[in-house]
Amino acid sequence: MTDRVKIICSNCRKPFSERAPRLKNGYQVQCPNCMRLITFDTSSEDPNIRRPLKVARDFRIAAETALVMARMAAQEPKRDNGY
């Protein structure tokens, strides 16, 4: 599972990717193709802005859940099968 989210620039329509932990409300990134500054805002009307924010949020939630489950599994008492 990769931590990169595909983003489509609203200006030049070319895709590029950014790391999911960085994509949050208010984050700004420059399109590497047309050099336009893209600001990620949850109230944006542009689906090319909202979709990457949702995918990044879902990724962060899944990663946090996996971390919690791993910690819980490590804390479970070991069962002794001595017989």
Side-chain angles (χ1 to χ4, degrees):
M1 186 171 174
T2 180
D3 69 339
R4 300 198 68 86
V5 175
K6 181 179 172 186
I7 302 166
I8 298 175
C9 178
S10 299
N11 188 38
C12 66
R13 311 294 293 167
K14 296 203 176 175
F16 64 98
S17 64
E18 187 65 41
R19 293 192 50 189
R22 292 182 182 174
L23 285 179
K24 295 182 181 173
N25 196 24
Y27 180 71
Q28 293 181 335
V29 66
Q30 195 170 20
C31 174
N33 301 303
C34 68
M35 298 302 167
R36 180 178 179 187
L37 186 65
I38 300 170
T39 302
F40 291 93
D41 185 16
T42 54
S43 63
S44 174
E45 294 291 325
D46 189 0
N48 293 326
I49 302 291
R50 286 193 322 260
R51 188 198 60 80
L53 279 173
K54 182 182 182 315
V55 171
R57 183 178 64 240
D58 293 344
F59 175 81
R60 287 192 303 271
I61 290 170
E64 184 177 330
T65 302
L67 182 63
V68 168
M69 295 303 276
R71 286 182 182 167
M72 287 175 57
Q75 291 178 354
E76 286 182 2
K78 305 286 185 208
R79 295 187 182 184
D80 187 19
N81 295 347
Y83 296 105

